[in-house]
Amino acid sequence: MKIGIIGLGLIGGCLGLDFRSQAYKVLGVSRQQSTCDIAVEKGVVDESSTSLELLATADLIFICTPIHLLVPTLEKLTPYLKPQAIVTDVGSVKGAIVANCSRLWPNFVGGHPMAGKTEQGINAAQLGLFVNTPYLITPLESTPHFAVKILTEIVEKLGCQIYYSSPEEHDRAVAWISHLPVMISTSLIQACAEEQDLNIRQLAENLASSGFRDTSRVGGGNPELGLMMAKYNRQALLISLTNYRQNLDEIIDYIAGEKWQELEKILVSSNQYRDNFIQ
Ligand code: NAP
């Protein structure tokens, strides 16, 4: 099986390293020649090119470009594909992507590895990023079973836990646990940066430690990715943000009104409920 990867950045690079470590032949395409050269040097791919033609012999292709380029990239790729080739993507949103890609290529299966890092680009790629992380596969009713089966078998080799859902269910679920946290974390950093007393702001910057590192990590990540999440999952994200604002208002109300029992109740309940998300 020959694997193709388009977009040799963080996710594409990590996939390449993992697949090559399992002796798959990996062909990589990226926009810049310098990235293609680094990918070969780092052992991310066996061969690389800036031309999609390189993927004419690939059996399974992962499109790992920024979200807004996923559909246009598949459009340019189809003339080169073998008839049985399977194409998947790793985009963080699925509704807008899967419907369009499935129209362009019947053997398209949407996917989303739920792993990441603050850094981006080929130099941030590392072995084993996906081990013990969820990988959601989002077939449509029309998606061929053989394509879902092959993608599942390959992704299992990354050490992922596989889940299946419709693209729409995916978008609603990730709005809660991925896209909402990016916006909350961003507003946290912004609010801290707006402290008007420079001495206090400097002291806070000096004192920030593991708690701030954890809560600010996703807000300090790839700005382009955050923007794309908001643009392409706008509706579900707005519902989550509105609900979050209501919760925040409640907390403000409890503290302002010294309603310590109510505050304690939600602190206890979130302490317990967090385990449902983080095992
Ligand atoms: P990234 O590190 O910026 O990598 C994207 C790469 O795509 C860039 O390095 C760029 O390579 C390449 N590229 C840009 N335009 C291209 C084109 N027209 N043709 C071919 N390659 C092109 O971003 P990423 O974090 O890996 O994200 C990539 C995808 O993964 C996104 O769709 C995102 O939704 C998804 N994803 C990200 C995360 C995360 O946490 N980062 C997690 C799960 C899924 P050059 O260097 O050649 O310009």
Side-chain angles (χ1 to χ4, degrees):
M1 152 106 38
K2 265 194 211 171
I3 294 179
I5 298 175
I6 309 174
L8 299 171
L10 170 67
I11 299 296
C14 291
L15 286 173
L17 284 173
D18 280 2
F19 289 136
R20 282 203 75 235
S21 76
Q22 304 209 16
Y24 284 104
K25 171 127 180 155
V26 179
L27 308 171
V29 173
S30 212
R31 179 178 48 179
Q32 302 184 70
Q33 185 58 48
S34 55
T35 303
C36 294
D37 295 341
I38 296 170
V40 174
E41 268 165 44
K42 274 187 71 128
V44 166
V45 295
D46 293 281
E47 288 173 47
S48 66
S49 171
T50 55
S51 166
L52 292 169
E53 208 175 341
L54 179 73
L55 304 177
T57 59
D59 303 291
L60 171 60
I61 295 160
F62 289 79
I63 309 183
C64 306
T65 64
I67 292 172
H68 67 291
L69 295 174
L70 294 169
V71 178
T73 299
L74 179 58
E75 215 163 0
K76 287 187 201 142
L77 175 68
T78 51
Y80 302 111
L81 290 173
K82 295 200 293 195
Q84 286 299 300
I86 297 165
V87 181
T88 185
D89 75 311
V90 296
S92 309
V93 295
K94 298 268 67 86
I97 306 300
V98 177
N100 286 319
C101 286
S102 301
R103 269 193 288 274
L104 289 169
W105 191 251
N107 296 342
F108 178 86
V109 192
H112 182 193
M114 301 293 301
K117 282 167 80 170
T118 311
E119 301 84 11
Q120 62 198 95
I122 185 81
N123 288 316
Q126 64 173 71
L127 255 181
L129 181 78
F130 307 105
V131 173
N132 291 328
T133 61
Y135 199 117
L136 193 64
I137 296 177
T138 59
L140 301 176
E141 272 181 28
S142 57
T143 310
H145 291 304
F146 87 91
V148 178
K149 185 168 172 282
I150 289 174
L151 178 63
T152 301
E153 283 166 8
I154 297 292
V155 162
E156 265 171 355
K157 298 197 174 156
L158 299 170
C160 297
Q161 297 132 12
I162 314 243
Y163 295 88
Y164 300 92
S165 82
S166 71
E168 289 69 30
E169 288 166 336
H170 164 278
D171 287 356
R172 286 175 60 191
V174 298
W176 284 116
I177 52 80
S178 177
H179 303 174
L180 176 64
V182 168
M183 298 308 151
I184 295 171
S185 178
T186 300
S187 62
L188 167 70
I189 298 168
Q190 285 305 310
C192 293
E194 282 166 21
E195 165 60 56
Q196 295 301 304
D197 185 326
L198 288 184
N199 286 332
I200 298 296
R201 197 164 83 203
Q202 185 62 59
L203 187 59
E205 287 173 11
N206 293 342
L207 296 179
S209 187
S210 54
F212 193 79
R213 191 173 305 120
D214 290 347
T215 48
S216 66
R217 184 179 71 80
V218 292
N222 182 348
E224 187 185 39
L225 184 54
L227 187 62
M228 292 300 146
M229 288 169 170
K231 275 190 179 176
Y232 284 82
N233 200 18
R234 183 170 166 269
Q235 215 175 353
L237 179 58
L238 279 174
I239 292 171
S240 307
L241 274 167
T242 307
N243 210 295
Y244 173 73
R245 187 167 59 191
Q246 280 164 11
N247 274 271
L248 197 57
D249 283 344
E250 247 170 50
I251 290 178
I252 293 172
D253 180 53
Y254 295 156
I255 297 172
E258 300 189 37
K259 298 175 187 170
W260 304 129
Q261 273 187 351
E262 281 92 334
L263 182 64
E264 188 181 16
K265 217 161 112 187
I266 59 161
L267 288 170
V268 168
S269 119
S270 59
N271 169 282
Q272 291 163 355
Y273 196 58
R274 182 172 186 264
D275 290 347
N276 291 20
F277 295 97
I278 312 287
Q279 278 111 30

mmCIF file of all heavy atoms in Angstrom, residues 6-12 29-32 35 64-67 69-70 90-92 112-113 115-117 120-121 222 225, ligand 1:
data_model
loop_
_atom_site.group_PDB
_atom_site.id
_atom_site.type_symbol
_atom_site.label_atom_id
_atom_site.label_comp_id
_atom_site.label_asym_id
_atom_site.label_seq_id
_atom_site.Cartn_x
_atom_site.Cartn_y
_atom_site.Cartn_z
ATOM 1 N N ILE A 6 -0.771 15.162 1.356
ATOM 2 C CA ILE A 6 -0.705 16.514 0.768
ATOM 3 C C ILE A 6 -0.771 17.520 1.909
ATOM 4 O O ILE A 6 -1.707 17.488 2.718
ATOM 5 C CB ILE A 6 -1.881 16.770 -0.201
ATOM 6 C CG1 ILE A 6 -2.001 15.645 -1.228
ATOM 7 C CG2 ILE A 6 -1.708 18.118 -0.894
ATOM 8 C CD1 ILE A 6 -3.231 15.759 -2.139
ATOM 9 N N GLY A 7 0.237 18.416 1.954
ATOM 10 C CA GLY A 7 0.306 19.401 3.045
ATOM 11 C C GLY A 7 1.216 18.860 4.127
ATOM 12 O O GLY A 7 0.776 18.234 5.091
ATOM 13 N N LEU A 8 2.538 19.102 3.929
ATOM 14 C CA LEU A 8 3.517 18.515 4.859
ATOM 15 C C LEU A 8 3.786 19.487 6.001
ATOM 16 O O LEU A 8 4.874 20.042 6.133
ATOM 17 C CB LEU A 8 4.794 18.147 4.097
ATOM 18 C CG LEU A 8 4.571 17.098 2.987
ATOM 19 C CD1 LEU A 8 5.818 16.940 2.124
ATOM 20 C CD2 LEU A 8 4.150 15.755 3.577
ATOM 21 N N GLY A 9 2.769 19.704 6.826
ATOM 22 C CA GLY A 9 2.904 20.558 8.000
ATOM 23 C C GLY A 9 2.915 19.691 9.248
ATOM 24 O O GLY A 9 3.429 18.569 9.236
ATOM 25 N N LEU A 10 2.319 20.213 10.329
ATOM 26 C CA LEU A 10 2.317 19.465 11.595
ATOM 27 C C LEU A 10 1.623 18.104 11.438
ATOM 28 O O LEU A 10 2.239 17.062 11.696
ATOM 29 C CB LEU A 10 1.610 20.285 12.686
ATOM 30 C CG LEU A 10 1.346 19.508 13.980
ATOM 31 C CD1 LEU A 10 2.654 19.168 14.682
ATOM 32 C CD2 LEU A 10 0.420 20.271 14.906
ATOM 33 N N ILE A 11 0.363 18.108 11.013
ATOM 34 C CA ILE A 11 -0.402 16.849 10.976
ATOM 35 C C ILE A 11 0.113 15.938 9.849
ATOM 36 O O ILE A 11 0.360 14.744 10.066
ATOM 37 C CB ILE A 11 -1.920 17.138 10.822
ATOM 38 C CG1 ILE A 11 -2.426 17.970 12.015
ATOM 39 C CG2 ILE A 11 -2.708 15.844 10.689
ATOM 40 C CD1 ILE A 11 -2.349 17.295 13.370
ATOM 41 N N GLY A 12 0.305 16.514 8.656
ATOM 42 C CA GLY A 12 0.832 15.715 7.543
ATOM 43 C C GLY A 12 2.194 15.132 7.887
ATOM 44 O O GLY A 12 2.487 13.961 7.586
ATOM 45 N N VAL A 29 3.329 15.636 -0.922
ATOM 46 C CA VAL A 29 3.248 16.842 -1.759
ATOM 47 C C VAL A 29 3.009 18.036 -0.846
ATOM 48 O O VAL A 29 2.164 17.976 0.049
ATOM 49 C CB VAL A 29 2.092 16.716 -2.783
ATOM 50 C CG1 VAL A 29 1.885 18.036 -3.532
ATOM 51 C CG2 VAL A 29 2.378 15.594 -3.781
ATOM 52 N N SER A 30 3.785 19.106 -1.066
ATOM 53 C CA SER A 30 3.541 20.328 -0.316
ATOM 54 C C SER A 30 3.675 21.527 -1.242
ATOM 55 O O SER A 30 4.078 21.392 -2.399
ATOM 56 C CB SER A 30 4.484 20.418 0.883
ATOM 57 O OG SER A 30 3.845 21.099 1.939
ATOM 58 N N ARG A 31 3.310 22.696 -0.717
ATOM 59 C CA ARG A 31 3.299 23.894 -1.560
ATOM 60 C C ARG A 31 4.726 24.377 -1.858
ATOM 61 O O ARG A 31 5.055 24.724 -2.977
ATOM 62 C CB ARG A 31 2.522 24.980 -0.796
ATOM 63 C CG ARG A 31 2.409 26.297 -1.480
ATOM 64 C CD ARG A 31 1.592 27.223 -0.619
ATOM 65 N NE ARG A 31 2.018 27.247 0.790
ATOM 66 C CZ ARG A 31 1.487 27.983 1.729
ATOM 67 N NH1 ARG A 31 0.481 28.776 1.437
ATOM 68 N NH2 ARG A 31 1.942 27.949 2.968
ATOM 69 N N GLN A 32 5.578 24.359 -0.835
ATOM 70 C CA GLN A 32 6.921 24.922 -1.003
ATOM 71 C C GLN A 32 7.973 23.826 -1.188
ATOM 72 O O GLN A 32 7.974 22.833 -0.441
ATOM 73 C CB GLN A 32 7.305 25.720 0.245
ATOM 74 C CG GLN A 32 6.323 26.835 0.559
ATOM 75 C CD GLN A 32 6.793 27.663 1.736
ATOM 76 O OE1 GLN A 32 7.764 28.387 1.628
ATOM 77 N NE2 GLN A 32 6.113 27.518 2.855
ATOM 78 N N THR A 35 9.895 22.935 1.973
ATOM 79 C CA THR A 35 9.198 22.005 2.878
ATOM 80 C C THR A 35 9.365 20.566 2.379
ATOM 81 O O THR A 35 9.590 19.637 3.174
ATOM 82 C CB THR A 35 7.698 22.366 2.965
ATOM 83 O OG1 THR A 35 7.588 23.709 3.388
ATOM 84 C CG2 THR A 35 6.952 21.462 3.920
ATOM 85 N N CYS A 64 -3.925 17.135 4.051
ATOM 86 C CA CYS A 64 -3.616 17.754 5.356
ATOM 87 C C CYS A 64 -3.314 19.243 5.208
ATOM 88 O O CYS A 64 -2.500 19.793 5.965
ATOM 89 C CB CYS A 64 -2.411 17.056 5.988
ATOM 90 S SG CYS A 64 -2.588 15.275 6.139
ATOM 91 N N THR A 65 -3.918 19.890 4.243
ATOM 92 C CA THR A 65 -3.721 21.335 4.046
ATOM 93 C C THR A 65 -4.596 22.112 5.039
ATOM 94 O O THR A 65 -5.467 21.521 5.685
ATOM 95 C CB THR A 65 -4.166 21.731 2.618
ATOM 96 O OG1 THR A 65 -5.570 21.475 2.524
ATOM 97 C CG2 THR A 65 -3.427 20.963 1.547
ATOM 98 N N PRO A 66 -4.418 23.434 5.130
ATOM 99 C CA PRO A 66 -5.383 24.229 5.906
ATOM 100 C C PRO A 66 -6.807 23.981 5.391
ATOM 101 O O PRO A 66 -7.005 23.637 4.214
ATOM 102 C CB PRO A 66 -4.934 25.671 5.629
ATOM 103 C CG PRO A 66 -3.467 25.551 5.323
ATOM 104 C CD PRO A 66 -3.302 24.250 4.609
ATOM 105 N N ILE A 67 -7.791 24.191 6.265
ATOM 106 C CA ILE A 67 -9.178 23.812 5.985
ATOM 107 C C ILE A 67 -9.706 24.380 4.661
ATOM 108 O O ILE A 67 -10.311 23.663 3.865
ATOM 109 C CB ILE A 67 -10.092 24.258 7.153
ATOM 110 C CG1 ILE A 67 -9.764 23.430 8.404
ATOM 111 C CG2 ILE A 67 -11.567 24.126 6.795
ATOM 112 C CD1 ILE A 67 -10.444 23.901 9.667
ATOM 113 N N LEU A 69 -8.366 24.974 2.000
ATOM 114 C CA LEU A 69 -7.770 24.419 0.773
ATOM 115 C C LEU A 69 -8.097 22.941 0.570
ATOM 116 O O LEU A 69 -7.678 22.357 -0.433
ATOM 117 C CB LEU A 69 -6.237 24.602 0.819
ATOM 118 C CG LEU A 69 -5.764 26.060 0.798
ATOM 119 C CD1 LEU A 69 -4.259 26.134 0.996
ATOM 120 C CD2 LEU A 69 -6.168 26.720 -0.516
ATOM 121 N N LEU A 70 -8.839 22.333 1.501
ATOM 122 C CA LEU A 70 -9.099 20.880 1.389
ATOM 123 C C LEU A 70 -9.879 20.563 0.107
ATOM 124 O O LEU A 70 -9.468 19.705 -0.682
ATOM 125 C CB LEU A 70 -9.870 20.380 2.622
ATOM 126 C CG LEU A 70 -9.112 20.438 3.957
ATOM 127 C CD1 LEU A 70 -10.058 20.189 5.136
ATOM 128 C CD2 LEU A 70 -7.971 19.425 3.994
ATOM 129 N N VAL A 90 -7.971 15.506 6.979
ATOM 130 C CA VAL A 90 -7.786 15.541 8.440
ATOM 131 C C VAL A 90 -8.389 16.815 9.021
ATOM 132 O O VAL A 90 -8.084 17.193 10.146
ATOM 133 C CB VAL A 90 -6.290 15.457 8.819
ATOM 134 C CG1 VAL A 90 -5.687 14.135 8.389
ATOM 135 C CG2 VAL A 90 -5.503 16.635 8.227
ATOM 136 N N GLY A 91 -9.227 17.488 8.246
ATOM 137 C CA GLY A 91 -9.749 18.797 8.634
ATOM 138 C C GLY A 91 -10.509 18.784 9.951
ATOM 139 O O GLY A 91 -11.224 17.832 10.273
ATOM 140 N N SER A 92 -10.403 19.888 10.692
ATOM 141 C CA SER A 92 -11.037 19.997 12.008
ATOM 142 C C SER A 92 -12.529 20.286 11.916
ATOM 143 O O SER A 92 -13.197 20.352 12.943
ATOM 144 C CB SER A 92 -10.367 21.109 12.819
ATOM 145 O OG SER A 92 -8.980 20.923 12.804
ATOM 146 N N HIS A 112 -10.849 12.911 11.132
ATOM 147 C CA HIS A 112 -10.299 13.980 11.973
ATOM 148 C C HIS A 112 -9.506 13.384 13.131
ATOM 149 O O HIS A 112 -10.096 12.844 14.071
ATOM 150 C CB HIS A 112 -11.437 14.853 12.510
ATOM 151 C CG HIS A 112 -10.954 16.011 13.338
ATOM 152 N ND1 HIS A 112 -11.805 16.752 14.119
ATOM 153 C CD2 HIS A 112 -9.709 16.543 13.525
ATOM 154 C CE1 HIS A 112 -11.109 17.700 14.732
ATOM 155 N NE2 HIS A 112 -9.827 17.585 14.390
ATOM 156 N N PRO A 113 -8.162 13.460 13.049
ATOM 157 C CA PRO A 113 -7.363 13.031 14.200
ATOM 158 C C PRO A 113 -7.462 14.088 15.293
ATOM 159 O O PRO A 113 -7.209 15.259 15.032
ATOM 160 C CB PRO A 113 -5.938 12.960 13.626
ATOM 161 C CG PRO A 113 -5.940 13.865 12.444
ATOM 162 C CD PRO A 113 -7.358 13.992 11.951
ATOM 163 N N ALA A 115 -5.695 15.221 17.705
ATOM 164 C CA ALA A 115 -4.409 15.423 18.383
ATOM 165 C C ALA A 115 -3.773 16.658 17.779
ATOM 166 O O ALA A 115 -4.011 16.961 16.612
ATOM 167 C CB ALA A 115 -3.507 14.219 18.168
ATOM 168 N N GLY A 116 -2.977 17.362 18.554
ATOM 169 C CA GLY A 116 -2.333 18.552 18.012
ATOM 170 C C GLY A 116 -1.265 19.080 18.942
ATOM 171 O O GLY A 116 -0.974 18.475 19.991
ATOM 172 N N LYS A 117 -0.673 20.178 18.537
ATOM 173 C CA LYS A 117 0.369 20.845 19.329
ATOM 174 C C LYS A 117 0.207 22.334 19.103
ATOM 175 O O LYS A 117 -0.469 22.739 18.149
ATOM 176 C CB LYS A 117 1.758 20.458 18.797
ATOM 177 C CG LYS A 117 2.250 19.099 19.195
ATOM 178 C CD LYS A 117 3.461 18.722 18.374
ATOM 179 C CE LYS A 117 4.733 19.358 18.889
ATOM 180 N NZ LYS A 117 5.934 18.767 18.205
ATOM 181 N N GLN A 120 3.263 24.728 14.640
ATOM 182 C CA GLN A 120 2.795 24.236 13.351
ATOM 183 C C GLN A 120 3.977 24.058 12.405
ATOM 184 O O GLN A 120 5.104 24.409 12.737
ATOM 185 C CB GLN A 120 1.767 25.212 12.762
ATOM 186 C CG GLN A 120 2.332 26.585 12.506
ATOM 187 C CD GLN A 120 1.243 27.622 12.342
ATOM 188 O OE1 GLN A 120 0.872 28.311 13.281
ATOM 189 N NE2 GLN A 120 0.769 27.767 11.143
ATOM 190 N N GLY A 121 3.697 23.467 11.246
ATOM 191 C CA GLY A 121 4.729 23.309 10.227
ATOM 192 C C GLY A 121 5.507 22.009 10.370
ATOM 193 O O GLY A 121 5.442 21.332 11.404
ATOM 194 N N ASN A 222 -2.182 27.964 16.532
ATOM 195 C CA ASN A 222 -2.206 28.431 15.140
ATOM 196 C C ASN A 222 -3.419 29.357 14.872
ATOM 197 O O ASN A 222 -4.557 28.908 14.873
ATOM 198 C CB ASN A 222 -2.279 27.168 14.265
ATOM 199 C CG ASN A 222 -2.272 27.472 12.779
ATOM 200 O OD1 ASN A 222 -2.427 28.614 12.374
ATOM 201 N ND2 ASN A 222 -2.082 26.443 11.990
ATOM 202 N N LEU A 225 -5.834 28.352 12.048
ATOM 203 C CA LEU A 225 -6.708 27.215 12.354
ATOM 204 C C LEU A 225 -7.926 27.684 13.164
ATOM 205 O O LEU A 225 -9.061 27.288 12.880
ATOM 206 C CB LEU A 225 -5.903 26.144 13.115
ATOM 207 C CG LEU A 225 -6.605 24.836 13.436
ATOM 208 C CD1 LEU A 225 -7.182 24.196 12.188
ATOM 209 C CD2 LEU A 225 -5.631 23.867 14.115
HETATM 210 P P1 NAP B 1 0.251 23.353 9.282
HETATM 211 O O1 NAP B 1 1.258 22.840 10.232
HETATM 212 O O2 NAP B 1 0.229 24.802 8.958
HETATM 213 O O3 NAP B 1 0.398 22.515 7.934
HETATM 214 C C1 NAP B 1 -0.306 22.761 6.756
HETATM 215 C C2 NAP B 1 0.674 22.607 5.608
HETATM 216 O O4 NAP B 1 -0.056 22.656 4.376
HETATM 217 C C3 NAP B 1 1.677 23.750 5.532
HETATM 218 O O5 NAP B 1 2.899 23.362 6.139
HETATM 219 C C4 NAP B 1 1.842 24.015 4.030
HETATM 220 O O6 NAP B 1 3.091 23.561 3.557
HETATM 221 C C5 NAP B 1 0.836 23.084 3.384
HETATM 222 N N1 NAP B 1 0.099 23.739 2.316
HETATM 223 C C6 NAP B 1 -0.485 24.956 2.333
HETATM 224 N N2 NAP B 1 -1.082 25.181 1.153
HETATM 225 C C7 NAP B 1 -0.872 24.083 0.405
HETATM 226 C C8 NAP B 1 -1.233 23.716 -0.910
HETATM 227 N N3 NAP B 1 -1.943 24.539 -1.690
HETATM 228 N N4 NAP B 1 -0.838 22.503 -1.380
HETATM 229 C C9 NAP B 1 -0.124 21.674 -0.616
HETATM 230 N N5 NAP B 1 0.268 21.971 0.651
HETATM 231 C C10 NAP B 1 -0.111 23.170 1.134
HETATM 232 O O7 NAP B 1 -1.231 23.003 9.764
HETATM 233 P P2 NAP B 1 -1.741 21.725 10.588
HETATM 234 O O8 NAP B 1 -1.874 22.107 12.003
HETATM 235 O O9 NAP B 1 -0.940 20.531 10.213
HETATM 236 O O10 NAP B 1 -3.232 21.617 10.008
HETATM 237 C C11 NAP B 1 -3.476 20.989 8.773
HETATM 238 C C12 NAP B 1 -4.860 20.412 8.782
HETATM 239 O O11 NAP B 1 -4.967 19.546 9.903
HETATM 240 C C13 NAP B 1 -5.977 21.436 8.887
HETATM 241 O O12 NAP B 1 -7.002 21.103 7.961
HETATM 242 C C14 NAP B 1 -6.478 21.261 10.319
HETATM 243 O O13 NAP B 1 -7.863 21.504 10.431
HETATM 244 C C15 NAP B 1 -6.155 19.819 10.604
HETATM 245 N N6 NAP B 1 -5.902 19.506 12.019
HETATM 246 C C16 NAP B 1 -5.058 20.278 12.756
HETATM 247 C C17 NAP B 1 -4.833 19.951 14.097
HETATM 248 C C18 NAP B 1 -3.912 20.788 14.946
HETATM 249 O O14 NAP B 1 -4.074 20.770 16.175
HETATM 250 N N7 NAP B 1 -2.959 21.494 14.407
HETATM 251 C C19 NAP B 1 -5.449 18.821 14.671
HETATM 252 C C20 NAP B 1 -6.259 18.031 13.867
HETATM 253 C C21 NAP B 1 -6.496 18.390 12.533
HETATM 254 P P3 NAP B 1 4.252 24.483 2.947
HETATM 255 O O15 NAP B 1 5.251 24.537 4.060
HETATM 256 O O16 NAP B 1 4.688 23.682 1.760
HETATM 257 O O17 NAP B 1 3.675 25.829 2.602
#
